[in-house]
Amino acid sequence: MSKSHTKSNDFFMARALELAQKGRFQVAPNPMVGAVIVKDKKIVAEGYHKFFGSAHAEVETLKAMRPALLKDCTLFVTLEPCCHHGKTPPCTKAIIKSGIKKVVIATLDPNKKVCGKGVKELEKAGIKVTLIKPKKIIKEAEELNKAFFTFHREKRPYVSLKAAVSLDGKIAENRTARTHLTGKDAEKYTHTLRANHQAILVGAGTVLADNPRLTVRVKALKSLGARDPLRVILAGRRPLPQNARIFDDKNVLVLRNKTIPEVMEILYKKGIVSVLVEGGQSVFTSFIDAGFVDEIHFLIAPVKLGKKAVDFYKN
């Protein structure tokens, strides 16, 4: 497998990465993937993975070209083509059948079912496979699918924490108090975070105190295909009211008396690639202490709550 050096390759891969983002809200648990076909240093076809279960980016892009024209083209794809049967047939088979002779990829697939095997299958068929060289492009490709990479490398979901806090690091103890910490911009940001995660997790205390829906309710996001995340409730023995809004549909998972490592294992086995934690102090503290936090989103209000509220994290 050779290394690329031309600036044109960087340009074409950057376009493929741009295309990949179009599937942001609909492809999970699959990764976002984009692809372009180049001939005579010009993009002649492009595509991306549109939604889970649909044709992958490579196949989508190949379909846009007449087979007779593919022999002298190069396929640029943001992730190593898959070589196993899942919801769709292997992309490697489609690439080999197409007659294309050059493929440039941004990064290897971390899924052990692929991870280098896709490249070997293409090379065995006489296709020249090039791994993009600039670290900036490689970093962008991995950052785009950071949850997917974490899921396969660490065998757990990618975890984000979101909390509205005051200048002195406090969180409000009830829904009414929290409305004074956030506004419309913060609400939209929260719903965008929800749309970007497969699951959202809270404790039973949040359900009892706030009666939240934990859904995506921004029309602009819905128009882009944003789906409601799986709602996960960490509960002990306390009964949860069945008429609570979180139970408006069956897209809910109640986990009782589970440690955080057990929660991570359950979600991993369910194929949950990413989870957004929106809870209270005890839930935030439990995840941080367990070492399963990948990023934290603070919505900071220009006020101090002092003794009227609790710390975000309990030391």
Side-chain angles (χ1 to χ4, degrees):
M1 184 164 55
S2 59
K3 300 284 185 177
S4 68
H5 296 277
T6 63
K7 290 183 178 180
S8 58
N9 279 9
D10 304 350
F11 172 81
F12 299 135
M13 191 61 76
R15 175 55 182 163
L17 286 168
E18 184 180 11
L19 288 165
Q21 296 183 57
K22 291 186 175 184
R24 177 171 296 280
F25 299 129
Q26 299 189 68
V27 299
N30 284 352
M32 292 172 273
V33 181
V36 299
I37 293 176
V38 174
K39 184 174 183 178
D40 298 327
K41 296 187 177 181
K42 293 181 180 180
I43 295 177
V44 292
E46 55 186 33
Y48 64 97
H49 184 32
K50 295 180 178 179
F51 58 88
F52 180 64
S54 70
H56 289 186
E58 301 94 319
V59 174
E60 192 73 22
T61 308
L62 289 170
K63 288 192 302 183
M65 284 287 291
R66 284 188 293 167
L69 300 177
L70 287 169
K71 184 178 180 181
D72 298 320
C73 295
T74 300
L75 173 68
F76 287 77
V77 61
T78 58
L79 188 69
E80 178 184 10
C82 66
C83 54
H84 65 95
H85 281 271
K87 286 283 185 179
T88 59
C91 290
T92 50
K93 300 295 184 185
I95 295 170
I96 293 169
K97 185 178 179 180
S98 74
I100 206 161
K101 294 302 180 183
K102 295 180 181 180
V103 175
V104 181
I105 63 175
T107 181
L108 297 178
D109 190 325
N111 186 341
K112 65 180 181 180
K113 292 181 180 180
V114 186
C115 203
K117 297 175 184 176
V119 169
K120 289 181 180 179
E121 188 169 318
L122 293 176
E123 291 180 330
K124 186 177 180 180
I127 296 173
K128 180 183 178 181
V129 180
T130 301
L131 181 64
I132 205 84
K133 184 177 180 181
K135 291 183 179 180
K136 180 178 180 293
I137 298 290
I138 297 171
K139 185 177 180 180
E140 287 179 7
E142 292 201 8
E143 178 65 20
L144 178 67
N145 288 302
K146 57 188 177 184
F148 180 78
F149 276 80
T150 296
F151 182 82
H152 286 287
R153 286 173 174 171
E154 301 185 26
K155 311 303 180 188
R156 65 167 178 84
Y158 185 92
V159 178
S160 303
L161 266 61
K162 191 278 298 183
V165 299
S166 61
L167 288 175
D168 51 349
K170 304 286 186 177
I171 57 176
E173 296 179 281
N174 57 67
R175 189 185 187 93
T176 301
R178 275 196 295 279
T179 60
H180 297 294
L181 289 180
T182 59
K184 290 185 178 180
D185 288 342
E187 183 179 2
K188 183 178 180 181
Y189 184 79
T190 295
H191 283 261
T192 302
L193 283 176
R194 291 177 181 177
N196 276 307
H197 290 77
Q198 260 190 289
I200 181 170
L201 183 149
V202 297
T206 296
V207 175
L208 294 170
D210 296 351
N211 192 21
R213 290 189 179 91
L214 301 181
T215 54
V216 179
R217 299 187 300 280
V218 175
K219 290 183 179 179
L221 294 172
K222 286 293 188 180
S223 68
L224 293 173
R227 299 173 293 184
D228 290 333
L230 170 70
R231 283 101 68 194
V232 182
I233 307 170
L234 299 189
R237 296 180 179 179
R238 286 187 292 180
L240 297 169
Q242 292 305 301
N243 62 347
R245 291 188 292 188
I246 202 168
F247 294 117
D248 282 350
D249 58 42
K250 295 182 179 180
N251 192 31
V252 182
L253 175 64
V254 179
L255 300 177
R256 293 191 177 276
N257 302 310
K258 300 295 183 183
T259 66
I260 301 304
E262 288 174 319
V263 171
M264 290 292 96
E265 184 177 359
I266 290 170
L267 295 181
Y268 173 74
K269 288 181 178 179
K270 285 184 171 292
I272 301 299
V273 171
S274 60
V275 57
L276 175 65
V277 177
E278 281 192 51
Q281 183 194 64
S282 61
V283 174
F284 291 146
T285 300
S286 295
F287 269 88
I288 293 172
D289 286 349
F292 288 117
V293 178
D294 297 290
E295 62 183 59
I296 299 178
H297 298 260
F298 284 128
L299 305 181
I300 304 175
V303 296
K304 290 185 178 181
L305 295 180
K307 295 181 179 180
K308 297 179 181 179
V310 298
D311 293 328
F312 160 77
Y313 173 76
K314 185 178 181 180
N315 291 309

